[in-house]
Amino acid sequence: MKTRVILIVIDSMGIGAMPDAEEYGDSLKCNTLCNLARANGGLNVPNLEKLGLGNIRTITGVNKTRTPLAKYGVMKMKSKGKDTTTGHWELAGIVLDKPFKTYKKFPDALINEFIIRTKCQNILGNIPASGTKIIEDYNTVHTNSKFPIVYTSADSVFQIAANIDVVPLEKLYNWCEIARELLDEGDYRVSRVIARPYHVVNGKPVRLGKYRHDYSVKPPRGTILNVLEQNGMVTYGIGKINDIFVGSGITKFTPTGSNIEGLDITLDAVRNDNSDLIFTNLVDTDMLYGHRRDVAGYAKAIETIDKALYNIVNAMYDEDLLIITADHGCDPTYKGTDHTREMVPLLMYARNIKPGNIGIKESYTYVAKVIKKWLFKKP
């Protein structure tokens, strides 16, 4: 029977502040999962409950069980930072000793060179902003001028938005490629350039998540993905996994426009795909609800994931290992729109695994070690 690992990252579903959270501007009371469950009056997640989620921490609406199906615990982030790239890289085996930089405004020299190389004539914005609000604010002038809307956030990102009815999608992607080149040439240490295409529906700008594209900085060294590739194994990235790793160690990939689409593709892969590692990122919890501090939306998104897990678990082969975790926090009950520096939950299920509490792991790199051990174990 084929041996596989299915790794599902529920983006930003942290489970308690790191001891050094205050150094990153966060409260020690930050706890994405527990706080949103309490604020929402409880979570309805029977499948995660059976695996043992309620045994990790006291989570409103999620019961503890004497017979968990999975190994359960938490992992600390050893890297410096609290962003998507840092979290995913650490899951794959890389610990960063310097955080990526964040900006309130990108330097004039960078913006001027961007304008020269893209020949876009000018830009709009260059401020930290909510992606939905800034395209509403600038849509009219952008439509008339075709100037790119450039903005950042509390994350280490250089985001470029454009209405694809006036700026072709290919041009937006080219602008992003040029921005990535410029950032890599200097000491800017920006984690990701993100293409944010949108169009206008009934007079209202609507972002097109399916055509979003992230241009990440390249990993500084190999990860577990490269180890698998070098040993002739197949890694299948679902969602923004390929973007996060810049294709390094990714054999094949499918981008997604929503969590539901990502879950459907993951289920199909579990049923029909022989990849050794199926690696899925579910971004809506972070992008749509965490950053927007939408407690109800975040809770509903987790409950939707829970429903999908029933079919995913039932479709697993006898030798499959399912790992469910997160990459950082984004507590929707906390102030601002930034990520929060948190530990993350860890659930590991297989039909032949011995369940129980594995305690606190000192680094997300524990996941890379588990993947390697599982896929290289002797028959």
Side-chain angles (χ1 to χ4, degrees):
M1 182 68 70
K2 177 77 172 181
T3 299
R4 304 180 301 178
V5 174
I6 302 110
L7 172 56
I8 297 177
V9 178
I10 304 175
D11 206 305
S12 85
M13 197 180 76
I15 197 164
M18 284 283 296
D20 61 358
E22 291 178 325
E23 297 176 20
Y24 293 79
D26 298 327
S27 167
L28 292 176
K29 295 181 179 179
C30 285
N31 188 318
T32 299
L33 186 55
C34 295
N35 287 346
L36 77 87
R38 182 170 55 252
N40 198 63
L43 288 174
N44 179 23
V45 288
N47 296 300
L48 286 166
E49 181 179 290
K50 290 176 184 177
L51 291 174
L53 183 65
N55 292 42
I56 300 175
R57 292 285 186 270
T58 300
I59 305 169
T60 306
V62 186
N63 295 318
K64 298 181 185 297
T65 174
R66 293 183 178 180
T67 56
L69 299 178
K71 290 182 180 292
Y72 61 87
V74 299
M75 297 186 295
K76 292 180 178 179
M77 177 178 268
K78 193 171 184 178
S79 297
K80 301 297 183 182
K82 54 177 181 176
D83 60 275
T84 294
T85 301
T86 301
H88 280 76
W89 284 5
E90 187 165 331
L91 289 169
I94 292 177
V95 173
L96 297 180
D97 57 6
K98 288 184 179 180
F100 291 112
K101 291 183 180 179
T102 58
Y103 292 83
K104 295 295 184 183
K105 178 183 177 182
F106 294 111
D108 290 341
L110 172 64
I111 294 298
N112 290 338
E113 187 62 23
F114 174 80
I115 292 170
I116 291 169
R117 294 199 193 180
T118 60
K119 301 177 183 178
C120 67
Q121 299 183 345
N122 205 344
I123 63 104
L124 304 171
N126 192 17
I127 56 174
S130 159
T132 51
K133 186 175 188 306
I134 197 168
I135 62 175
E136 290 177 356
D137 292 345
Y138 284 102
N139 177 60
T140 299
V141 64
H142 165 70
T143 300
N144 292 332
S145 67
K146 299 184 182 179
F147 298 154
I149 303 170
V150 174
Y151 63 105
T152 186
S153 70
D155 298 338
S156 180
V157 289
F158 186 109
Q159 305 188 79
I160 307 176
N163 180 348
I164 62 171
D165 292 327
V166 298
V167 174
L169 189 61
E170 293 74 16
K171 178 175 281 191
L172 172 59
Y173 289 163
N174 179 250
W175 285 342
C176 291
E177 290 167 359
I178 291 170
R180 181 73 268 170
E181 290 172 0
L182 284 168
L183 292 167
D184 290 345
E185 289 171 8
D187 186 30
Y188 295 107
R189 286 189 58 78
V190 172
S191 171
R192 287 175 293 157
V193 175
I194 305 178
R196 293 289 194 179
Y198 72 93
H199 64 174
V200 176
V201 179
N202 297 324
K204 183 178 177 62
V206 177
R207 292 201 300 189
L208 298 165
K210 188 173 182 64
Y211 300 109
R212 164 185 169 163
H213 188 41
D214 291 26
Y215 299 79
S216 296
V217 65
K218 293 180 180 179
R221 53 190 176 275
T223 69
I224 184 61
L225 306 179
N226 302 104
V227 172
L228 300 183
E229 182 182 54
Q230 290 160 8
N231 282 272
M233 296 186 181
V234 176
T235 60
Y236 183 11
I238 299 172
K240 61 181 184 179
I241 296 301
N242 188 66
D243 288 349
I244 292 168
F245 291 92
V246 200
S248 181
I250 305 294
T251 310
K252 58 183 182 179
F253 63 95
T254 302
T256 60
S258 67
N259 276 6
I260 292 175
E261 185 179 0
L263 290 163
D264 287 344
I265 293 170
T266 301
L267 175 59
D268 182 68
V270 174
R271 284 174 171 166
N272 303 307
D273 194 278
N274 281 325
S275 296
D276 298 273
L277 173 63
I278 299 167
F279 192 173
T280 299
N281 171 274
L282 301 173
V283 71
D284 290 357
T285 38
D286 181 54
M287 180 179 69
L288 298 183
Y289 308 115
H291 285 298
R292 299 180 189 179
R293 299 310 190 227
D294 182 348
V295 171
Y298 204 130
K300 186 176 180 180
I302 294 175
E303 291 173 352
T304 298
I305 293 168
D306 182 80
K307 290 178 182 177
L309 284 175
Y310 178 83
N311 287 329
I312 290 172
V313 168
N314 286 331
M316 289 170 58
Y317 299 163
D318 288 344
E319 295 299 316
D320 285 347
L321 173 66
L322 172 65
I323 303 175
I324 301 170
T325 187
D327 54 343
H328 51 73
C330 197
D331 189 337
T333 70
Y334 192 54
K335 64 184 180 180
T337 60
D338 195 2
H339 291 152
T340 44
R341 182 161 165 88
E342 297 185 42
M343 297 177 284
V344 295
L346 178 64
L347 295 168
M348 299 187 296
Y349 167 78
R351 293 198 172 96
N352 60 352
I353 204 169
K354 182 179 179 180
N357 187 359
I358 60 171
I360 299 174
K361 302 302 177 183
E362 292 301 313
S363 170
Y364 296 3
T365 56
Y366 178 74
V367 167
K369 296 173 184 176
V370 168
I371 292 171
K372 185 176 182 180
K373 184 176 180 180
W374 190 267
L375 292 179
F376 287 94
K377 65 183 178 181
K378 295 181 180 180

